[in-house]
């Protein structure tokens, strides 16, 4: 409900998730992106951002990579802790808007970056986080491996992403909102309502909470935990990079506590 696709049919992304089409889609919506997110999510985007920030638990001295950072709304909250934050996005338009709004914050920098080929050294960040961006990557597993590469041993990953409500009633209500209500609201508040089909397609095609946790663990992350936000409309996943190759914990995926 919070990604804003582009009006122009020529750059409307599909489930093939061609990087140039997806980045072009977000380039065109950068200026009104955050406002539209808040309206379409009924204000829940701010609550999801707070939950992600708490899971990251930023503090002075940390180095944090915020991927798919958009205009930097989540990055600003992290930087307020005193952490050194890099806001990265593969949309040049989003990065430009972020610099315009928040370029004066000394411990926040913006950089254009592809999540599947990060321009950072191995073991560079204490925490890597991505919110509502992983499902827009054409190779999520490759991106998760890149995030693992640039995270320091013992560091953490936090993923906040749309998911699938488990309760039948909530699943029905959510489907009704996305299919019937959201297009009407999008037409009223967005400049690109014609492309909102991509939003629903990408959410329907995305794995559920447990399946995403298994994928995160499958590429090498350790101690994977998750919990639902807003009845499972969104899921928050957190994982750890093992201190060494022989340090990986055994056992099932756990539950992430508030």
């Amino acid at each position: 409900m919070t990604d804003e696709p582009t009006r122009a049919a020529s750059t409307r992304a599909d489930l093939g998730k061609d990087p140039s089409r997806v980045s072009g889609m977000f380039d065109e919506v950068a200026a009104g992106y955050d406002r539209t997110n808040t309206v379409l999510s009924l204000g829940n985007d701010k609550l999801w951002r707070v939950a992600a920030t708490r899971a990251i638990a930023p503090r002075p001295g940390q180095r944090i990579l915020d991927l798919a950072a958009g205009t930097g709304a989540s990055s600003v909250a992290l930087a307020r802790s005193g952490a050194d934050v890099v806001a990265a996005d593969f949309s040049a338009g989003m990065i430009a808007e972020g610099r315009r709004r928040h370029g004066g914050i000394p411990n926040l920098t913006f950089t254009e970056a592809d999540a599947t080929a990060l321009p950072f050294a191995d073991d560079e960040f204490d925490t890597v986080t991505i919110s509502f961006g992983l499902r827009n990557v054409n190779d999520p597993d490759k991106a998760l491996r890149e995030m693992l590469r640039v995270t320091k041993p013992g560091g953490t990953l936090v993923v906040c992403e749309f998911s699938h409500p488990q309760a039948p009633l909530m699943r029905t209500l959510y489907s009704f909102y996305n299919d019937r209500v959201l297009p009407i609201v999008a037409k009223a508040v967005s400049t690109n309502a014609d492309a909102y089909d991509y939003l629903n397609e990408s959410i329907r095609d995305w794995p559920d909470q447990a399946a995403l946790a298994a994928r995160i663990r499958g590429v090498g992350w350790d101690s994977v935990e998750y919990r639902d936000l807003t009845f499972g409309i969104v899921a928050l996943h957190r994982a750890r990079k093992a201190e060494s190759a022989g340090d990986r914990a055994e056992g099932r995926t756990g539950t992430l506590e508030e």
Side-chain angles (χ1 to χ4, degrees):
M1 289 184 303
T2 65
D3 292 340
E4 180 168 292
T6 182
R7 175 190 290 178
S10 61
T11 55
R12 187 269 196 196
D14 56 29
L15 292 183
K17 299 176 186 178
D18 175 79
S20 63
R21 294 175 70 87
V22 175
S23 62
M25 186 177 73
F26 287 107
D27 284 348
E28 297 186 17
V29 301
Y33 181 73
D34 295 323
R35 175 185 59 82
T36 304
N37 282 354
T38 298
V39 173
L40 294 180
S41 69
L42 306 180
N44 281 290
D45 63 315
K46 296 180 180 180
L47 300 178
W48 299 332
R49 193 178 300 131
V50 168
T53 299
R54 287 177 176 168
I56 295 165
R59 61 184 183 275
Q62 279 188 318
R63 185 160 168 78
I64 299 174
L65 174 60
D66 187 12
L67 285 171
T71 63
S74 60
S75 307
V76 170
L78 298 173
R80 284 177 181 151
S81 72
D84 179 17
V85 180
V86 177
D89 200 292
F90 74 159
S91 164
M94 287 288 188
I95 291 298
E97 183 67 17
R99 286 193 182 117
R100 186 187 69 79
R101 296 183 187 183
H102 310 299
I105 299 176
N107 55 325
L108 174 61
T109 58
F110 288 85
T111 185
E112 190 175 343
D114 180 349
T116 64
L118 293 173
F120 306 110
D122 295 355
D123 306 336
E124 186 170 341
F125 296 94
D126 298 287
T127 299
V128 176
T129 182
I130 183 167
S131 293
F132 307 107
L134 188 59
R135 80 178 195 288
N136 292 319
V137 178
N138 64 343
D139 191 340
D141 291 343
K142 186 176 181 181
L144 287 167
R145 285 191 292 269
E146 274 289 272
M147 295 176 208
L148 183 67
R149 178 184 66 79
V150 303
T151 301
K152 296 176 182 178
T156 58
L157 168 74
V158 174
V159 178
C160 189
E161 186 54 270
F162 285 111
S163 195
H164 300 274
Q166 300 301 298
L169 177 58
M170 181 54 62
R171 193 160 54 240
T172 299
L173 291 173
Y174 181 50
S175 178
F176 177 81
Y177 176 80
N178 273 359
D179 294 342
R180 302 292 183 87
V181 179
L182 186 144
I184 297 172
V185 178
K187 187 174 292 186
V189 302
S190 172
T191 60
N192 50 72
D194 291 344
Y196 262 87
D197 284 345
Y198 167 74
L199 173 61
N200 287 334
E201 290 170 5
S202 65
I203 293 173
R204 291 191 199 102
D205 190 61
W206 189 244
D208 67 12
Q209 295 89 322
L212 179 56
R215 290 180 74 167
I216 293 171
R217 184 172 178 82
V219 302
W221 289 95
D222 197 21
S223 304
V224 182
E225 305 171 298
Y226 69 88
R227 71 180 179 92
D228 288 344
L229 303 177
T230 317
F231 306 104
I233 290 173
V234 167
L236 190 64
H237 288 69
R238 186 169 64 190
R240 170 182 172 272
K241 181 174 179 176
E243 295 283 355
S244 65
D247 187 40
R248 292 197 67 192
E250 297 295 331
R252 297 182 179 179
T253 299
T255 300
L256 178 60
E257 296 183 0
E258 296 187 31

